[in-house]
């Protein structure tokens, strides 16, 4: 692999302008992350009340369980952002991957300072997504339960469908059966359906005085049976560890519970994060030759001005070394081999619109990685596949479909980062959410939609006008229609709109991309090799 020669001029006006514009994007990201962690209406009061009850805040709980000086990869911190009247920062649940006694675990931890830890539609989506990641990456799951259960006013969006509450319990039972430990610490309410999170766990710890499990809480018992009963008598830690056996261990304090949990983790027989099964070619890591901070000056402040993905690759991969595949052909996609934190990966990165030749090159390369058992990394920045008479006549639809089919059928781990635009079918061919990448992260400058706002403004208004044939439409009315479509597309393609709805696993600062991917690859390197597909490589 040869080091990439960078052509970035740090002293240029464009670099400085871009970097200044990106500084605003990262400042906004930090500000909104801070808001998700501690902000929201009435949150201060909820946090105070939580602490007054002697309870530990959710992220501190996770820190008390995980090994010192190990990373915690928090997922979708900004889920719920801008939804539910902004009253559900982080959707009231924290998910992420942390290390306990050297082994990685998925954490699913309710944040009782947001709507009593009750689960809104996006919260249950986040819970289920965390279980899906655990399944794909062979991770045990630690549930830190402190929840009011289903957010009752929106019960129709949480309860009945696939991947709603039922789906989360289905996954929990199956993860356990796969040998992935399901461990619960009960730190608050587990009412009705919520009772099944601990009840379906392999081992359960309850903290006296705060942990409660019941299928029907005191109000339901009073309504149904006329019995008036104290919550602890009905479902407290003493009852469940001494009498019912719903819980296995009793802890007097949270600290004691986390100590006990760590002891349990010593016995779960999980593969450590630093273990290597050898199926991913891994060597000693080497930092990139070019600093990641350059990325801020490389990404154009004006999204209509393209930037060279090679320069981005040079700031993510080991030694900035890259073995480009077919570099002279289909140049609107860059393909090639590199290493990230020592792990060999195949990189597929957009450099503009996808033409037929680029789609064929990418297809060939994806098949190569599949045959050689090399994980794939997709760096998305495209307005989609080329349109127009020549392109259609050259069969762009069938060539794009080959790429889409190759991506869909690749069995090696696939990872996607939105480094710019993710538009139209480009999203599919480049392993968008629908193609089940193991992780999908996005940068704060990214955009995701069927088409860019500029294009949508013309297309949608033309369609509307064609439908209104014969009626008089004034220039002002056409202008208002354009403005309406533009504003809708701008709002919905915004990365915060996307991450709020869990179309990704989180917005990340570009300079954290390498470490984030390194952790994701380390998870895969400790797994057994996935069963291969056909291994066929067609020369396109
Ligand atoms: N649905 C909707 N909102 C809920 C909720 C639920 N299941 N559980 C809690 N909340 C809301 C409360 O309305 C309150 O909202 P507000 O801040 O806008 O006023 C907020 O969460 C905090 O609840 P509160 O009861 O004040 O907190 P608490 O710490 O004293 O008690 C619980 C927390 C979870 C023990 C208690 O709220 C509770 O028992 N909730 C209902 C549990 C239940 O029966 N669930 C059935 C699920 S099927």
């Amino acid at each position: 692999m040869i080091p990439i020669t960078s052509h970035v001029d740090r002293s240029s006006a464009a670099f400085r302008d871009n970097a200044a514009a990106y500084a605003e994007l990262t400042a906004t990201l930090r500000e909104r992350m801070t808001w998700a962690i501690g902000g929201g209406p009435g949150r201060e009061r909820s946090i105070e009340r939580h602490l007054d009850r002697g309870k530990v805040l959710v992220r501190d709980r996770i820190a008390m369980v995980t090994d010192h000086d190990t990373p915690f990869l928090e997922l979708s911190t900004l889920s719920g952002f801008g939804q539910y009247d902004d009253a559900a920062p982080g959707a009231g649940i924290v998910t992420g991957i942390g290390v306990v006694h050297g082994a990685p675990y998925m954490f699913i931890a309710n944040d009782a300072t947001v709507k009593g830890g009750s689960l809104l539609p996006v919260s249950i989506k986040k819970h289920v997504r965390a279980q899906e990641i655990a399944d794909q990456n062979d991770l045990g799951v630690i549930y830190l339960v402190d929840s009011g259960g289903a957010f009752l006013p929106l019960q129709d969006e949480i309860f009945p469908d696939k991947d709603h509450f039922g789906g989360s319990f289905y996954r929990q039972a199956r993860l356990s059966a796969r040998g992935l430990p399901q461990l619960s610490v009960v730190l608050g309410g587990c009412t009705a359906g919520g009772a099944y999170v601990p009840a379906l766990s392999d081992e359960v710890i309850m903290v006296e005085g705060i942990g409660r499990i019941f299928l029907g809480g005191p109000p339901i018992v009073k309504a149904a049976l006329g019995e008036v009963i104290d919550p602890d008598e009905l479902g407290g830690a003493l009852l469940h560890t001494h009498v019912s056996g719903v819980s296995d261990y009793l802890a007097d304090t949270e600290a004691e519970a986390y100590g006990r949990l760590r002891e349990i983790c010593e016995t779960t027989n999980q593969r450590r994060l630093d273990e290597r099964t050898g199926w991913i070619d891994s060597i000693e890591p080497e930092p990139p030759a070019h600093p990641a901070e350059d990325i801020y000056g490389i990404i154009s402040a004006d999204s209509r001005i393209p930037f060279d993905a090679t320069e981005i690759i040079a700031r993510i991969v080991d030694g900035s070394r890259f073995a480009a595949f077919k570099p002279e052909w289909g140049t609107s996609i860059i393909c090639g081999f590199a290493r990230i934190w020592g792990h060999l990966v195949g990189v597929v990165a957009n450099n503009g619109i996808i033409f037929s030749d680029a789609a064929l090159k990418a297809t060939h390369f994806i098949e190569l990685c599949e045959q050689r058992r090399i994980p794939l990394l997709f760096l998305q920045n495209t307005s989609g596949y080329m349109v127009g008479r020549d392109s259609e006549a050259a069969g762009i639809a069938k060539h794009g479909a080959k790429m889409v089919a190759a991506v869909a059928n690749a069995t090696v781990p696939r990872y996607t980062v939105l480094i710019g635009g993710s538009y139209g079918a480009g999203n599919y061919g480049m392993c968008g959410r629908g193609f089940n990448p193991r992780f999908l992260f996005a940068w704060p400058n990214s955009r995701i939609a069927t088409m860019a706002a500029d294009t949508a403004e013309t297309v949608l208004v033309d369609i509307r006008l064609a439908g209104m044939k014969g009626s008089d439409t004034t220039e002002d009315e056409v202008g208002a229609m354009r403005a309406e479509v533009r504003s809708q597309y701008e709002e919905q393609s915004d990365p915060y709109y996307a991450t709020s709805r869990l179309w990704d696993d989180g917005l990340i600062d570009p300079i954290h991309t390498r470490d984030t991917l390194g952790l994701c690859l380390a998870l895969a390197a400790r797994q057994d090799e996935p069963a291969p597909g056909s291994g066929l490589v067609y020369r396109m």
Side-chain angles (χ1 to χ4, degrees), residues 149-350:
F151 184 76
L152 293 169
L154 298 177
Q155 64 90 26
D156 62 327
E157 295 176 53
I158 302 160
F159 173 64
D161 207 353
K162 188 172 180 285
D163 290 341
H164 282 177
F165 254 85
S168 74
F169 300 131
Y170 169 82
R171 283 165 197 274
Q172 193 175 336
R174 292 179 70 92
L175 287 171
S176 170
R178 282 199 51 217
L180 300 170
Q182 306 293 300
L183 309 171
S184 278
V185 184
V186 181
L187 304 151
C190 293
T191 311
Y196 288 98
V197 176
L200 282 167
S201 291
D202 304 328
E203 293 191 59
V204 180
I205 304 164
M206 281 187 85
V207 178
E208 203 187 344
I210 56 173
R212 286 170 193 144
I213 303 175
F214 21 63
L215 289 190
I220 295 178
V221 172
K222 187 174 175 216
L225 307 171
E227 284 178 20
V228 176
I229 187 161
D230 170 82
D232 276 322
E233 248 182 274
L234 185 64
L238 270 176
L239 173 97
H240 283 312
T241 37
H242 286 255
V243 183
S244 73
V246 171
S247 164
D248 308 307
Y249 310 99
L250 178 70
D252 287 333
T253 62
E254 290 201 39
E256 188 188 330
Y258 304 136
R260 184 76 200 100
L261 178 63
R262 285 183 55 82
E263 269 175 30
I264 294 172
C265 291
E266 275 186 293
T267 67
T268 53
N269 204 10
Q270 296 300 293
R271 287 188 189 154
R272 294 170 57 89
L273 187 59
D274 56 10
E275 242 175 277
R276 300 281 174 265
T277 52
W279 85 270
I280 296 181
D281 178 346
S282 303
I283 59 170
E284 266 305 297
E286 182 190 358
H290 304 285
E293 286 74 10
D294 284 352
I295 294 173
Y296 301 143
I298 294 168
I299 295 175
S300 317
D302 179 347
S303 62
R304 288 165 303 182
I305 301 173
F307 59 89
D308 184 358
T310 316
E311 298 287 2
I312 304 294
I313 296 168
R315 283 147 184 92
I316 293 177
V317 305
D318 288 18
S320 302
R321 292 175 210 283
F322 190 61
F325 170 75
K326 259 181 174 325
E328 319 297 344
W329 199 77
T331 50
S332 72
I333 287 188
I334 299 165
C335 298
F337 300 100
R339 290 184 185 276
I340 295 178
W341 277 96
H343 306 295
L344 187 60
V345 285
V347 182
V348 182
N350 299 117

Side-chain angles (χ1 to χ4, degrees), residues 481-500:
M481 268 191 238
R482 284 194 199 288
E484 183 197 327
V485 172
R486 167 173 282 280
S487 139
Q488 182 204 343
Y489 266 71
E490 275 173 356
E491 182 196 344
Q492 294 180 352
S493 59
D494 189 271
Y496 291 94
Y497 189 91
T499 203
S500 170

Side-chain angles (χ1 to χ4, degrees), residues 405-527:
V407 170
N409 285 293
T411 60
V412 291
R414 294 158 304 142
Y415 307 91
T416 303
V417 184
L418 271 53
I419 65 170
S422 174
Y423 291 112
N427 169 282
Y428 313 147
M430 291 294 291
C431 204
R433 195 61 144 179
F435 289 78
N436 216 5
R438 290 211 177 183
F439 291 92
L440 189 154
F441 298 104
W443 288 358
N445 59 300
S446 64
R447 292 286 181 276
I448 182 167
T450 48
M451 59 186 85
D454 291 347
T455 322
E457 181 185 312
T458 311
V459 173
L460 268 89
V461 171
D462 284 356
I463 292 171
R464 273 198 215 170
L465 290 176
M468 292 159 63
K469 221 184 287 174
S471 69
D472 292 331
T473 314
T474 65
E475 280 292 309
D476 283 354
E477 282 166 340
V478 173
M481 268 191 238
R482 284 194 199 288
E484 183 197 327
V485 172
R486 167 173 282 280
S487 139
Q488 182 204 343
Y489 266 71
E490 275 173 356
E491 182 196 344
Q492 294 180 352
S493 59
D494 189 271
Y496 291 94
Y497 189 91
T499 203
S500 170
R501 287 158 180 77
L502 248 85
W503 298 347
D504 54 49
D505 295 312
L507 288 188
I508 54 172
D509 185 322
I511 63 167
H512 298 145
T513 306
R514 172 180 159 76
D515 289 351
T516 304
L517 292 171
L519 178 61
C520 296
L521 284 160
L523 295 176
R526 55 183 263 293
Q527 292 180 278

Side-chain angles (χ1 to χ4, degrees), residues 41-42 45-46 49-50 53 55 87 112-119 146-154 165 188-194 212 214-220:
R45 195 177 52 84
S46 304
R49 210 159 55 122
H50 188 85
R53 289 172 174 167
K55 292 170 84 168
T113 68
V114 176
K115 293 280 167 209
S118 60
L119 292 144
D146 192 351
S147 166
F151 184 76
L152 293 169
L154 298 177
F165 254 85
C190 293
T191 311
R212 286 170 193 144
F214 21 63
L215 289 190
I220 295 178

